[in-house]
Amino acid sequence: GAGVSQSPSNKVTEKGKDVELRCDPISGHTALYWYRQSLGQGLEFLIYFQGNSAPDKSGLPSDRFSAERTGGSVSTLTIQRTQQEDSAVYLCASSLKIRVGGAGETQYFGPGTRLLVL
Amino acid sequence: GQQLNQSPQSMFIQEGEDVSMNCTSSSIFNTWLWYKQDPGEGPVLLIALYKAGELTSNGRLTAQFGITRKDSFLNISASIPSDVGIYFCAGQPFDRGSTLGRLYFGRGTQLTVWP
């Protein structure tokens, strides 16, 4: 497709279960980002992948959160032993990122995965 | 870490009025972006700014990259009901450290337009 896609659109899970959220970036985009948005809040940075570089994990809130990006394309965000406070919209974005600054920095967002932990 | 202060937090205006919102940062940025988010959707890019002093328009929207590189504003002229949504500013700090590439977001401006 032309844009960033995410799946599932919605996920309801029970406290303590693990969940996996998927992101398909725009084809050719080298950078991929995960954000979390709680109800009525701004975007909270989670993790950033750029090419083959080590990911910037500085935003992950706990060691229950992890993410990987296979083949420089699709990414999976995994939340282990989910807690009710993990309920939020998880947004993925990608950017072209050929060089520092300029149009390649612009991030394009997917529609998000709405996670509800009961 | 970087702080982005976006104001106002919310606005209630009548259709046809002009709107102005702004964003300030605690340090120099080399990119400013403005996004709009509709309920149940991801943010959609409205305007991107890459140079200090740059003024860019997109239809009824106009945004400027502040000359100090620490601020940006977004204006919406002649608002219409479909302008309703949350507007976010985002910026890329001038920083070559490990956080390069990370966008910092404001907390958003909730715009309500009365017909």
Side-chain angles (χ1 to χ4, degrees), chain A residues 33 35 37 40-43 45 48 56 58-59 89 91 97 100-112 114, chain B residues 30-31 33 35 37 39-45 48 50 86 88 92 96 98-108:
Chain A
Y33 315 77
Y35 296 88
Q37 185 176 32
Q41 300 298 313
L43 280 73
F45 168 80
Y48 156 53
D56 176 357
S58 60
V89 177
L91 291 160
K97 198 73 177 177
V100 174
E105 299 284 357
T106 302
Q107 295 183 20
Y108 297 89
F109 284 82
R114 282 144 196 82
Chain B
N30 63 21
T31 301
L33 306 169
Y35 288 88
Q37 186 175 29
E41 303 291 331
V44 174
L45 181 69
Y50 304 109
I86 303 176
F88 289 101
Q92 166 77 61
R96 297 188 181 276
S98 62
T99 56
L100 186 66
R102 175 181 166 176
L103 279 183
Y104 291 82
F105 282 81
R107 297 181 69 85

Side-chain angles (χ1 to χ4, degrees), chain B residues 44-115:
Chain B
V44 174
L45 181 69
L46 298 174
I47 292 180
L49 303 161
Y50 304 109
K51 291 166 57 175
E54 182 179 358
L55 182 72
T56 297
S57 293
N58 178 8
R60 293 178 297 106
L61 279 60
T62 301
Q64 184 158 27
F65 192 140
I67 200 69
T68 65
R69 301 172 70 180
K70 291 185 177 182
D71 63 341
S72 178
F73 72 76
L74 174 70
N75 287 344
I76 305 172
S77 63
S79 57
I80 59 179
S82 61
D83 290 334
V84 166
I86 303 176
Y87 292 79
F88 289 101
C89 63
Q92 166 77 61
F94 185 73
D95 178 359
R96 297 188 181 276
S98 62
T99 56
L100 186 66
R102 175 181 166 176
L103 279 183
Y104 291 82
F105 282 81
R107 297 181 69 85
T109 295
Q110 172 71 62
L111 178 64
T112 302
V113 180
W114 299 104

Side-chain angles (χ1 to χ4, degrees), chain A residues 2-58:
Chain A
V4 177
S5 60
Q6 293 185 245
S7 61
S9 299
N10 297 280
K11 177 71 176 178
V12 181
T13 190
E14 294 179 348
K15 178 182 173 181
K17 295 285 182 67
D18 298 350
V19 294
E20 284 189 353
L21 312 179
R22 177 187 168 106
C23 172
D24 283 88
I26 293 173
S27 178
H29 280 196
T30 64
L32 186 147
Y33 315 77
W34 283 98
Y35 296 88
R36 178 169 71 175
Q37 185 176 32
S38 300
L39 187 63
Q41 300 298 313
L43 280 73
E44 175 189 3
F45 168 80
L46 297 178
I47 188 169
Y48 156 53
F49 295 90
Q50 170 56 45
N52 296 320
S53 302
D56 176 357
K57 304 180 182 179
S58 60

